[in-house]
Amino acid sequence: MKSTTTELEIGMPGGDFTLSAAEFDRIRELVREHTGISLSDAKRQLVYGRLSRRLRALHLSGFAEYIALIESGEGDELEEFTNAVTTNLTSFFREPHHFEYLGRELLPKLVAADKGARRLRIWCCAASTGEEPYSISMVLREAHPLLTGWDAKLLATDLDSNVLSTASTGVYTSERFQTMSPARLKNWFKPVGSDGKTYTAVNELRTLITFKQLNLMHDWPMKGPFDAIFCRNVIIYFDKETQRALFERMALLQRPGDHLFLGHSESLYRVCDKYDLIGKTIYRRNHS
């Protein structure tokens, strides 16, 4: 049903601008077109808060001007727009059972089944500020006795260029390590600066990871195959049609037996039949 909320009702209390129903609907269309993300009515205040900063920075008089700018395809602002509407919540070893499965079960199985190629490829498709790919890298480095002589690489991509810059830098403040054991912190990060509250990832972690900006809605330059894909807490922002298209494409980059990890509230039920559920949000590529 089309919204009947008036323009005045959508204006944010104390805000500099008014976001009309028509403008919000057009912004939602642009968000979906450029990022695949489906925004609900409940995201109106979030959109207002994040994009009003861009209006101020650009000295625009209202959202109509900003929409026209995005519709013109202006490259720099289109990147700022996608960065602004992207949510990036992450932590080291978030949903730890995935990393435990990777280290204790999947890697030993891959090594046992190897026929001499000694090649391992993992894709983290929502790298955010880097905690997830660095967590994967730690698991791989801790499996060194298994992976000696292996060509192991981790591709870490994200739509948001700002968070990806943080990820590639690999520098974090101490509060970001609350979900990591002190032993891992000591082994894989070293303090920088004089305050003792800032740490940087060691080179052993960095050398496994390639960070690249990638919009999942656009062409993918990589060919695969990927032994494992971490696509966690991504598809909750997409509608079912977009989800189906996404996993059809991912399935083409994996062989039967390869693994896919989703977020705790995500599922492939009635989305894609090319994967079988084998554990808590852990899927395996089948032969279909």
Side-chain angles (χ1 to χ4, degrees), residues 106-115 146-147 150:
L106 180 53
L107 292 181
K109 288 178 181 177
L110 289 174
V111 171
D114 181 62
K115 297 180 180 179
L146 274 177
L147 298 178
W150 278 61

Side-chain angles (χ1 to χ4, degrees), residues 260-280:
L260 172 67
F261 297 84
L262 301 186
H264 70 279
S265 61
E266 298 171 325
S267 170
L268 293 186
Y269 177 66
R270 301 183 72 175
V271 171
C272 182
D273 61 2
K274 291 181 169 55
Y275 294 89
D276 298 323
L277 181 65
I278 61 170
K280 186 179 179 183

Side-chain angles (χ1 to χ4, degrees), residues 93 102-103 107 120 122 133-154 184 187-188 201-209:
F93 295 99
L102 174 64
L107 292 181
L120 175 65
I122 297 176
Y134 284 118
S135 297
I136 298 170
S137 185
M138 279 181 262
V139 173
L140 297 184
R141 286 306 189 194
E142 289 165 356
H144 174 72
L146 274 177
L147 298 178
T148 299
W150 278 61
D151 174 22
K153 293 181 180 178
L154 169 59
R184 273 181 164 150
N187 287 338
W188 302 116
V202 300
N203 286 335
E204 288 90 340
L205 296 186
R206 296 171 177 275
T207 54
L208 288 179
I209 309 172

